Amino acid sequence: MDALAAYGSDDEQETDQQSRKTSEDVASHLKGSVSLDTLKSKFQLDIAPIVQEKKYEKDVQRHLVDPTTKELKYNVKYDDMFAPEIGPMNPYKTKQQLAKKNTLAGYVEEANFSKFQFDNQQKTFTSYGYAMDPSSEGEKYIGDLEKLNENSGKTVFEATKKRPGDKRRREKPGDPEEIDGYLGPWAKFADEKTSAKPSEEQKVILDQYEEKKEKRGKKDEEKIEEKTKAHIEDLYDYQGRPFLHIPNDSDTDFRSEDPPDKCFLPKKLMHTWSGHSKGVAAIRLFPKSGHLLLSASMDCKIKIWEVYNKRRNIRTYHGHSKAVRDICFNNDGTKFLSCSYDRWIKLWDTETGECLGRYSNKKIPYCVKFNPDEDKQDLFIAGMSDKKMITWDIRENEIVQEYDRHLGAVNTITFFDRNQRIATTSDDKSIRIWEWDIPVDSKLIQDPTMHSMPAATLSPNGKWLACQSLDNQILIYNVINRFRQNRKKSFKGHMNAGYACQVNFSPDMSYLISGDGDGKLNIWDWKTTKLYSKFKAHNEVCIGCEWLPHETSKIVTCGWDGLIKLWD
């Protein structure tokens, strides 16, 4: 016990001695006789080193080496810090030009402000016309000071006097059990005026608008007189047969249904037809034989030409007031349809040039097609600018069906699968598949990577649909059974973006041809998708091309230069 007591007392004495020594060391700096070196040797801590300021001459000006530095080892005068970076000060610069800048427009300082106060002052100024001046430190206001005194400087967030129109009372909603008398949340305001009668000023404006609308409607209803002109005297041969009759005195067998065994690439220009004064928009060969060529132009005229023999212009059809966009023969070629930007679709007799029918729904038709079935030659379908496809009956001159599912103007209409189904493309960058006479699409092909396809052509064997895509490529779709894209076949190498260049096949399905925006004719190999030939066909856009159905290497092209050319 005595040892334990002695042990504890010794520890306490040592602890008291250490505490006294530490307190003496802490208070030692208060003694005037203690030097700084003594304190540093005791604590071994250099908290703030003593900077011995160097004495510089008063007139000497020291420039900073780097103006953007954040650390200085000597005291710099204010004039030195804001002195020009290089050379003497420019005496011709204004104060604004000499001011410090961190942006092109000036100096931007970081500032923190309350979003609530900003919105509060902004809404107060919008509602009452006054707000607190942000550039002043005190409470100064700008704007309508009279309104400020009326509201005692209150903002929209603070309570103000209610204005007459702030709170409008609604009529009672009524009993929900009564179906006829129940108004619910649709009840009118007590002071709501239900009269729709326009004021005198509004009535004058409406009357003027109605007069203009009537005049515009009358202009649209005015039908241009259809005219035709024959350019040859021998419209009938010695047996009385018209020029539509398929010739028998040619080396080519026009009545054969078999395509040529092998097709070849054309190498030279054979003939040029020049009769249109403006660009040619579309060309169509006579059905099956191809011995005649129909052309539609932007000069509002349609012409038919001889492809063989003298290659003359046979007849001109003039019945549109604006550019003709599309044309289409019926199965035997005795009639054809034309659609124009004047909003009319017209049916023509190919032999006599007589206009047999006029059809319009006051919208611009973009494409027109006869139904290829022999028993439905009295029906044709047109793709319109108002996103619809409309079927007309020639016999009754009336609309018998409407297809309204596209979200943009309809560009192409193609019959396939024994003419039972239709594939349409539109400006909405989609392809829709329809059953004939059923106004609901059976399939929609749409993808964010797809582009608009303003031209499409069915292959001679009826298995493939070639679509001219505006991303400078031609896409191929399989139309047998399941309609889907053939990813292995895409034809590239031409520049067609922005133009509805027609696509076509060679009769033996060995080549694919297309024009482009540079006026060139492009020929690809169907199997390998390799671009075999590319040559300048027109000075402007080459918009259409047709491979003669019974020839091995003859192609007809048309362009916006107003020419139609035959290549062999």
Side-chain angles (χ1 to χ4, degrees):
M1 293 297 287
D2 294 337
L4 288 173
Y7 176 79
S9 61
D10 293 340
D11 291 344
E12 289 176 359
Q13 290 175 1
E14 291 178 2
T15 305
D16 293 340
Q17 291 175 0
Q18 289 178 358
S19 61
R20 286 194 211 102
K21 190 176 181 181
T22 305
S23 60
E24 289 177 0
D25 292 339
V26 170
S28 61
H29 70 283
L30 300 174
K31 298 177 183 179
S33 59
V34 179
S35 64
L36 183 62
D37 296 333
T38 306
L39 290 173
K40 287 172 63 177
S41 62
K42 277 192 175 186
F43 294 99
Q44 295 296 320
L45 182 64
D46 191 1
I47 297 174
I50 294 175
V51 178
Q52 294 180 359
E53 184 177 356
K54 294 182 180 180
K55 294 181 180 180
Y56 300 106
E57 296 180 9
K58 293 182 179 180
D59 298 335
V60 176
Q61 188 175 5
R62 298 192 61 184
H63 292 276
L64 300 178
V65 178
D66 185 6
T68 60
T69 184
K70 296 182 180 180
E71 181 182 356
L72 296 175
K73 296 185 179 180
Y74 58 92
N75 295 333
V76 187
K77 295 181 180 180
Y78 177 84
D79 295 337
D80 295 346
M81 291 182 67
F82 292 96
E85 294 184 7
I86 300 175
M89 187 175 293
N90 190 341
Y92 300 105
K93 284 191 175 181
T94 62
K95 290 183 178 180
Q96 185 178 5
Q97 292 173 334
L98 291 171
K100 187 178 180 181
K101 295 181 180 180
N102 59 0
T103 62
L104 292 175
Y107 187 79
V108 178
E109 294 181 354
E110 294 184 0
N112 296 320
F113 58 90
S114 171
K115 186 178 184 299
F116 167 74
Q117 289 296 339
F118 179 83
D119 294 340
N120 189 19
Q121 294 298 326
Q122 185 185 29
K123 292 174 182 176
T124 302
F125 188 82
T126 305
S127 300
Y128 301 127
Y130 63 87
M132 191 177 291
D133 188 359
S135 62
S136 62
E137 296 180 0
E139 291 188 0
K140 292 184 180 180
Y141 290 87
I142 56 174
D144 192 353
L145 300 180
E146 294 181 0
K147 198 75 175 177
L148 173 69
N149 296 329
E150 288 180 12
N151 295 338
S152 303
K154 292 182 179 180
T155 63
V156 292
F157 182 72
E158 297 168 336
T160 57
K161 293 181 181 179
K162 292 185 178 179
R163 294 172 293 183
D166 282 349
K167 185 68 176 178
R168 301 173 66 190
R169 292 186 178 180
R170 286 187 179 273
E171 296 178 358
K172 294 182 179 180
D175 188 4
E177 294 182 359
E178 298 180 5
I179 298 175
D180 296 333
Y182 179 65
L183 300 177
W186 303 277
K188 297 179 181 178
F189 291 102
D191 58 343
E192 185 176 351
K193 296 180 181 180
T194 56
S195 176
K197 184 178 179 181
S199 62
E200 294 182 359
E201 296 178 357
Q202 292 175 340
K203 191 175 181 181
V204 173
I205 296 172
L206 290 172
D207 291 341
Q208 293 176 353
Y209 175 75
E210 290 294 333
E211 290 178 3
K212 290 181 181 179
K213 191 175 180 181
E214 288 179 5
K215 290 180 181 178
R216 196 183 305 116
K218 288 180 181 178
K219 287 183 180 179
D220 293 341
E221 290 177 1
E222 290 179 0
K223 300 173 184 175
I224 186 172
E225 183 182 356
E226 292 82 8
K227 299 179 182 178
T228 183
K229 182 180 179 181
H231 300 282
I232 60 175
E233 296 180 357
D234 52 338
L235 292 173
Y236 301 91
D237 60 6
Y238 67 98
Q239 291 184 354
R241 295 174 299 191
F243 63 90
L244 300 181
H245 178 71
I246 300 174
N248 299 323
D249 56 350
S250 176
D251 296 336
T252 305
D253 185 6
F254 294 115
R255 289 178 173 78
S256 173
E257 295 183 358
D258 298 328
D261 295 334
K262 178 63 177 176
C263 290
F264 305 95
L265 301 179
K267 295 181 180 179
K268 61 181 178 179
L269 177 64
M270 295 290 293
H271 185 73
T272 301
W273 291 279
S274 58
H276 289 290
S277 58
K278 291 185 179 180
V280 181
I283 52 174
R284 299 289 182 267
L285 291 173
F286 196 81
K288 297 180 181 178
S289 64
H291 72 288
L292 297 175
L293 178 69
L294 191 69
S295 64
S297 173
M298 298 177 189
D299 60 1
C300 314
K301 297 178 182 178
I302 305 166
K303 292 178 179 288
I304 192 165
W305 315 77
E306 289 179 336
V307 178
Y308 297 88
N309 299 330
K310 297 180 181 180
R311 300 190 173 102
R312 299 170 295 176
N313 180 13
I314 301 175
R315 185 181 287 278
T316 300
Y317 312 85
H318 183 62
H320 290 286
S321 59
K322 292 184 180 180
V324 184
R325 181 177 172 90
D326 194 17
I327 46 179
C328 179
F329 275 113
N330 64 350
N331 284 0
D332 55 6
T334 56
K335 302 174 185 177
F336 70 88
L337 289 165
S338 65
C339 64
S340 168
Y341 287 102
D342 61 3
R343 304 172 191 270
W344 284 101
I345 301 172
K346 296 193 176 183
L347 178 66
W348 302 83
D349 186 289
T350 312
E351 180 184 340
T352 64
E354 180 186 359
C355 183
L356 304 177
R358 307 170 187 87
Y359 315 92
S360 176
N361 69 338
K362 298 184 179 180
K363 303 294 180 183
I364 299 175
Y366 279 9
C367 56
V368 63
K369 280 287 178 69
F370 272 105
N371 189 311
D373 287 338
E374 292 294 340
D375 58 341
K376 296 175 183 174
Q377 288 291 287
D378 296 321
L379 301 173
F380 71 88
I381 184 170
M384 314 301 291
S385 61
D386 61 347
K387 314 170 189 176
K388 295 181 181 180
M389 294 182 297
I390 298 176
T391 303
W392 265 281
D393 191 335
I394 295 174
R395 296 164 294 187
E396 303 294 334
N397 195 358
E398 63 181 13
I399 297 173
V400 295
Q401 187 60 272
E402 280 190 3
Y403 306 82
D404 184 11
R405 301 281 284 186
H406 273 294
L407 304 177
V410 181
N411 291 322
T412 65
I413 299 173
T414 309
F415 287 86
F416 67 96
D417 194 11
R418 299 186 299 277
N419 307 324
Q420 296 176 0
R421 292 197 290 169
I422 310 171
T424 60
T425 63
S426 168
D427 284 344
D428 60 6
K429 303 178 183 179
S430 68
I431 301 177
R432 292 180 187 264
I433 310 301
W434 315 75
E435 300 286 339
W436 170 254
D437 211 23
I438 298 177
V440 181
D441 52 334
S442 60
K443 187 169 186 177
L444 169 64
I445 299 175
Q446 196 169 27
D447 187 80
T449 60
M450 286 178 64
H451 289 69
S452 181
M453 301 179 186
T457 304
L458 189 68
S459 64
N461 57 11
K463 294 181 180 180
W464 308 98
L465 180 68
C467 298
Q468 184 79 266
S469 179
L470 289 186
D471 58 347
N472 298 326
Q473 62 176 334
I474 300 173
L475 304 180
I476 306 298
Y477 290 86
N478 184 3
V479 300
I480 299 298
N481 298 326
R482 184 183 174 188
F483 192 100
R484 60 180 178 180
Q485 182 183 354
N486 187 348
R487 302 283 180 180
K488 295 181 179 179
K489 284 190 183 294
S490 63
F491 300 85
K492 302 177 183 179
H494 63 313
M495 297 293 292
N496 71 304
Y499 304 101
C501 299
Q502 182 185 350
V503 189
N504 220 308
F505 292 85
S506 63
D508 64 343
M509 281 288 297
S510 59
Y511 299 107
L512 182 74
I513 60 174
S514 169
D516 65 6
D518 297 331
K520 297 178 181 178
L521 180 66
N522 303 267
I523 305 176
W524 291 271
D525 181 61
W526 170 251
K527 291 184 178 179
T528 63
T529 69
K530 182 181 178 182
L531 184 60
Y532 270 180
S533 179
K534 184 176 185 178
F535 57 88
K536 188 78 171 178
H538 294 270
N539 293 330
E540 295 187 31
V541 181
C542 179
I543 200 71
C545 57
E546 292 273 358
W547 199 303
L548 296 183
H550 301 287
E551 299 290 344
T552 57
S553 60
K554 289 184 179 179
I555 299 175
V556 182
T557 62
C558 67
W560 283 7
D561 55 0
L563 301 177
I564 305 170
K565 296 183 179 182
L566 176 65
W567 304 85
D568 189 7

